[in-house]
Amino acid sequence: MNLADMLSFADMNQLTAIAGRYRCECKQNSKQDLIQTLLITLGSKDFMEAQVRECSQEDLRFLNALLFDERSYLTLEDLLAAARAASFDTPAGQSGGYRDTVTRFKNGGWLFNGTSQQSRYLFQVPKDLKERFRDRMAARLKEGLEPSGEPDIYREEGDLAAADLQALLRFVHEDEPELNMEGAMYRRCQQLLMNSLHIPEPLLTKGGWRFGYGRACEHYPPRLALLYDYARHRRWIAEEGQRLRLTSTGAAVLEEAKYESLLQIFSFWLRLYKGAIPNLPSLVYWIGVCANEWVTVKSLENALGWLIKPFYYDDAGSILEKRILRMMLHLGMLRVGEAASGPVVKMTAWGMERAQSKQLLL
């Protein structure tokens, strides 16, 4: 439903509260006058831009969560959880409480109760208001970007992830590598596998923490770990005793010699990393908005860093560069180059298509 529909179903108390917040001049006892005035006020581009600029980072993170939530209705508990997550662990007492955040959004005309008996205690954001907020957020994020000319040399991996998934299956089929007590291939086997891939990675060194980005991230470099977890998820490979073996399903895939769809691997990556980066789909969308032309990674971090919650020893910059941009490169979504100003990135056509897809934009 759009804003006009939700205003027509709203009770006088909420309409009056919204009009009072924005100091609208209208007849407070006339529902029709209240609705018409609020439609003009909330529909103004300048007004919407001012609202986004005046929001705290916590409120903007909460708004971002609402813009990319695929559910038709949200419970109060859903909203409180989203507000808590948006605070980045700021104690509720310092920010006025998470319920106050929800109340502010409701009194601002950004959240409405459902219109039926079943949904009267649930909440939703008007569809057209989501689109306007998304446009204003995009304009805000792009303000601080530092554009760059096309670098002399840049890297793009296309569908090599899909090709190397086949290479992983072939290696497992031919070698049936032995696993150590932790369930990982020995380093000698890992290096042999790396030598057969289009995009090799340095093997992990001892020490350091490794969790949160899939099961295989404990043992293998990020790109290989993603391919390994994907193959295991599809039941193409199986850890049987002290050996890694190809399943009958995996053997059929290998025999067919057909590349797996990058879209499937991309979707799996979103699910795999969302535990550590809960708002990953929205970040992919915003990177698509900001990097449709060459931009510096540093300015991209400045534009988006406040949306990224640190994860244990990964700070916002590390998450953006290593966990998101690098993986988007591996998934064929991004080009990466080096300019005089430092590292620069630009979305590929396929990456733009994915970033703007309904899978992210809901």
Side-chain angles (χ1 to χ4, degrees), residues 171 177 180 184-197 201-204 219-221 224:
F171 178 82
N180 62 25
M185 288 183 281
Y186 287 96
R187 290 180 66 84
R188 177 179 56 81
C189 288
Q190 290 187 41
Q191 191 58 61
L192 286 173
L193 172 57
M194 282 298 175
N195 294 341
S196 69
L197 300 181
E201 299 167 276
L203 302 186
L204 297 183
H219 309 301
Y220 308 116
L224 175 58

Side-chain angles (χ1 to χ4, degrees), residues 163-179 185 193 227-228 230-258:
D164 280 347
L165 183 59
Q166 281 279 323
L168 170 61
L169 298 183
R170 190 177 306 109
F171 178 82
V172 174
H173 172 64
E174 295 174 353
D175 290 66
E176 293 193 349
E178 186 179 356
L179 303 176
M185 288 183 281
L193 172 57
L227 298 180
Y228 186 101
Y230 183 81
R232 190 170 176 272
H233 168 73
R234 295 297 301 269
R235 294 184 171 85
W236 294 345
I237 59 175
E239 296 157 358
E240 299 177 355
Q242 295 299 110
R243 292 281 178 181
L244 182 63
R245 291 189 169 92
L246 201 65
T247 66
S248 58
T249 307
V253 171
L254 184 60
E255 184 177 356
E256 188 180 0
K258 182 179 178 182

